Amino acid sequence: MTHDLERNKQTVTEFYDLMFNRNRPREAIEKYAGDVYIQHNCMVADGKEPFIAYFEKMAKEYPGKRVEVRRAIAEGNFVVLHCRQTWPTDKDREWAGIDIFRLDDSGKIVEHWDVLQVVPAVCAHGNTMF
């Protein structure tokens, strides 16, 4: 079981790096996605081809965008990533995100949810979002 959890975390973090940082969403989907890809982000349509089209467009419009995985948590067939994002067109702020992935029994990504927010300039406490 622990082996599967570590494998799933590695799969998801490699998928995210390949599609987001390295701008190769088609290769990421072909290598890491299962037979279906269910999307819960309201900006991206369901399925592999809509995912690829969306992130190919993002790669062209936002070269230099970066995601840094701060935490990866796995339980069962789910992996949760806690991430910091930076965008070249938005240099004055950074973003905090949570991505949730469901993998099938063979370790392929089949479903995705996410939430994203701007990191506030001032917090009511001394903690960071990361």
Side-chain angles (χ1 to χ4, degrees):
M1 175 81 164
T2 301
H3 172 73
D4 290 345
L5 296 177
E6 292 305 314
R7 175 203 66 191
N8 288 350
K9 287 195 292 188
Q10 182 175 353
T11 294
V12 169
T13 55
E14 289 176 3
F15 169 79
Y16 211 21
D17 178 62
L18 186 58
M19 71 89 174
F20 198 94
N21 291 335
R22 295 165 54 197
N23 297 314
R24 293 169 21 208
R26 181 170 301 280
E27 184 179 343
I29 284 289
E30 289 171 355
K31 186 172 182 179
Y32 297 109
D35 292 335
V36 298
Y37 188 80
I38 302 165
Q39 181 62 260
H40 295 276
N41 179 319
C42 293
M43 303 299 291
V44 185
D46 251 353
K48 294 178 184 181
E49 287 303 319
F51 174 92
I52 292 165
Y54 181 84
F55 281 99
E56 284 178 345
K57 180 180 177 202
M58 295 288 281
K60 289 176 187 166
E61 292 178 2
Y62 304 100
K65 68 185 177 8
R66 298 290 303 164
V67 67
E68 177 186 345
V69 175
R70 293 295 183 100
R71 288 171 189 79
I73 302 162
E75 180 178 315
N77 284 349
F78 291 90
V79 173
V80 178
L81 299 182
H82 180 205
C83 300
R84 176 182 174 265
Q85 292 185 11
T86 54
W87 294 80
T89 55
D90 204 2
K91 293 184 189 305
D92 294 332
R93 56 188 183 169
E94 61 186 2
W95 298 77
I98 299 288
D99 288 90
I100 304 169
F101 296 88
R102 182 174 65 85
L103 292 82
D104 64 19
D105 290 336
S106 61
K108 297 292 187 175
I109 298 168
V110 294
E111 196 164 7
H112 172 256
W113 300 257
D114 66 345
V115 293
L116 188 64
Q117 78 172 77
V118 172
V119 174
V122 177
C123 290
H125 49 71
N127 305 319
T128 72
M129 294 193 71
F130 304 105

